[in-house]
């Protein structure tokens, strides 16, 4: 069996060696331009069109959780990957615990008013503020898939009411589940901290806009861990200005790296990280890929297959 590998920024040698160790019976090679030799599977991130075009592959693995980039490539290059070649993505592979750490630390930061205390500190003011109540700190998670449901579970032990919104209803112990566009309004009503973990699809682009933000609780907080295009930046800035939204923590942006003149950089109530909420971890990712390939080869059912029409 042959596997070709392409990632624009990962250390290919490291990955190839680790893949060979995990699958000693497989020939793994880094794909380079002009390599038209046959392969069974391709492991990719932002692949050149010619890497996949015309190949008869048994499967393609995206080396991340989100497949918006490769689906975007397929929509502009329809011949890049035949419709019957399955596309897979990474499910969790260590990203769940990273998202949990990110979300829990930031929710606690806001809940214990560290943002307010930092602002007071900058004015050299010694002042004790009123405590917030857990009951006033409902956390609502947009997207209750692999990562959203892990984040939801991690917030429960801290005593916050937790709810999620997804395409279909979920049964997650202790978490209130809302489903579909018709229940979005109820989900938003009373949500104090909004965490976004939706995939980027035509249905979810621009979802976090003025209308949605207006339905949140007063002095709410927004955390975007999914994709920048979910948030209408001008609407978020306006909601911060009006006080409707008290703070935002953003990991992802419509344009990355965030341009130097973007007003989010200087906003005192916006914190940000450079798309690091969850990294692809080689050991876990390779375990998932090798396990999935073994099952595919045995003709067994696997998870992680992308529904190309649905967009995630
Ligand atoms: N910032 C980062 O470092 C980073 C890292 C990994 C993943 N991500 C992002 O996180 C996203 C989520 O990952 P995942 O593995 O949990 O995905 P997933 O496919 O397991 O979950 C997606 C969830 O969104 C819901 N959903 C999709 N479309 C919907 C719609 N129109 N209405 C309501 N609900 C809808 C689904 O029902 C599901 O609950 C990825 O697509 C990726 O963009 C970001
Ligand atoms: O989708 C993912 O896995 C991360 O956001 C990396 O882009």
């Amino acid at each position: 069996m042959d596997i070709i590998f392409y990632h624009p920024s990962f250390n290919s040698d490291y990955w190839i060696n680790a893949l060979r160790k995990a699958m000693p019976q497989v020939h793994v090679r880094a794909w380079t331009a002009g390599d038209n030799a046959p392969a069974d599977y391709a492991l990719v991130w932002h692949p050149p069109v010619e890497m996949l075009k015309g190949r008869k592959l048994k499967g393609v693995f995206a080396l991340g959780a989100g497949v918006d980039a490769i689906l975007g490539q397929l929509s502009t290059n329809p011949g890049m990957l035949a419709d019957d070649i399955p596309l897979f993505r990474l499910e969790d592979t260590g990203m769940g615990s990273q998202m949990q750490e990110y979300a829990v630390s930031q929710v606690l930061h806001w809940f214990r008013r560290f943002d307010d205390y930092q602002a007071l500190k900058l004015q050299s003011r010694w002042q004790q503020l009123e405590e917030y109540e857990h009951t006033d700190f409902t956390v609502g998670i947009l997207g209750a898939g692999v990562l959203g449901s892990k984040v939801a579970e991690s917030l429960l032990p801290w005593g916050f009411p937790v709810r999620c919104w997804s395409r279909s209803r979920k049964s997650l112990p202790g978490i209130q589940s809302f489903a579909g566009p018709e229940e979005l309004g109820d989900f938003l009503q009373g949500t104090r901290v909004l965490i976004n973990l939706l995939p980027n699809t035509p249905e979810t682009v621009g979802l976090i806009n003025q209308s949605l933000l207006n339905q949140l609780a007063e002095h709410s907080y927004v955390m975007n861990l999914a994709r920048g295009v979910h948030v209408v930046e001008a609407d978020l800035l306006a909601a911060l200005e009006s006080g409707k939204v008290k703070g935002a923590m953003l990991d992802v942006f419509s344009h990355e790296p965030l341009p130097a003149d973007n007003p989010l950089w200087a906003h005192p109530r916006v914190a940000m990280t450079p798309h690091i909420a969850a990294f692809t971890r080689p050991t876990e990712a390779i375990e998932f890929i090798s396990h999935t390939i073994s099952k595919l080869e045995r003709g067994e059912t696997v998870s992680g297959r992308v529904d190309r029409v649905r967009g995630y």
Side-chain angles (χ1 to χ4, degrees), residues 85-103:
I85 298 178
L87 173 66
F88 300 94
R89 67 185 194 93
L90 299 181
E91 284 189 322
D92 195 335
T93 65
M95 288 185 254
S97 61
Q98 295 175 73
M99 287 294 186
Q100 290 178 326
E101 290 160 1
Y102 195 116

Side-chain angles (χ1 to χ4, degrees), residues 21-67:
K21 266 194 200 137
M23 295 180 280
Q25 73 290 6
V26 175
H27 303 286
V28 188
R29 66 181 192 272
W31 181 87
T32 49
D35 173 354
N36 294 319
D40 299 285
Y41 294 94
L43 279 40
V44 299
W45 195 252
H46 294 280
V49 175
E50 66 267 30
M51 175 182 180
L52 302 179
K53 199 167 182 155
R55 280 190 185 276
K56 294 197 181 347
L57 294 159
K58 295 184 192 171
V60 172
F61 287 82
L63 293 165
V67 286

Side-chain angles (χ1 to χ4, degrees), residues 61-130:
F61 287 82
L63 293 165
V67 286
D68 46 344
I70 191 161
L71 292 181
Q73 284 186 289
L74 295 185
S75 70
T76 45
N77 305 281
M80 184 175 164
L81 194 65
D83 288 343
D84 58 347
I85 298 178
L87 173 66
F88 300 94
R89 67 185 194 93
L90 299 181
E91 284 189 322
D92 195 335
T93 65
M95 288 185 254
S97 61
Q98 295 175 73
M99 287 294 186
Q100 290 178 326
E101 290 160 1
Y102 195 116
V104 168
S105 59
Q106 188 60 31
V107 172
L108 291 176
H109 180 91
W110 284 324
F111 179 65
R112 293 306 310 267
R113 305 191 66 167
F114 290 159
D115 51 346
D116 292 325
Y117 285 116
Q118 176 65 9
L120 288 170
K121 184 255 178 194
L122 292 173
Q123 299 167 47
S124 306
R125 282 172 62 194
W126 179 278
Q127 189 185 337
Q128 294 178 343
L129 302 170
E130 211 177 298

Side-chain angles (χ1 to χ4, degrees), residues 64-68 89-92 95 99 142-149 165-168 170 179-181 196-201 203-204 207 224-227 230 251-252 275-279 310 312:
V67 286
D68 46 344
R89 67 185 194 93
L90 299 181
E91 284 189 322
D92 195 335
M95 288 185 254
M99 287 294 186
L142 290 170
V146 174
L147 302 177
S149 53
W165 181 70
S166 48
R167 192 185 285 274
S168 54
K170 304 283 167 175
N196 177 35
L197 273 165
L198 286 167
N200 170 15
T201 71
E203 287 171 7
T204 63
L207 187 78
N224 189 13
L225 308 182
R227 288 292 184 260
H230 288 131
D251 182 56
V252 283
H275 201 141
I276 51 80
F279 293 101
R310 201 177 56 169
Y312 66 99

Side-chain angles (χ1 to χ4, degrees), residues 183-196:
E183 293 183 14
L184 180 59
D186 289 343
F187 163 83
L188 295 169
Q189 180 97 39
T191 288
R192 182 77 181 274
V193 181
L194 184 76
I195 302 180
N196 177 35

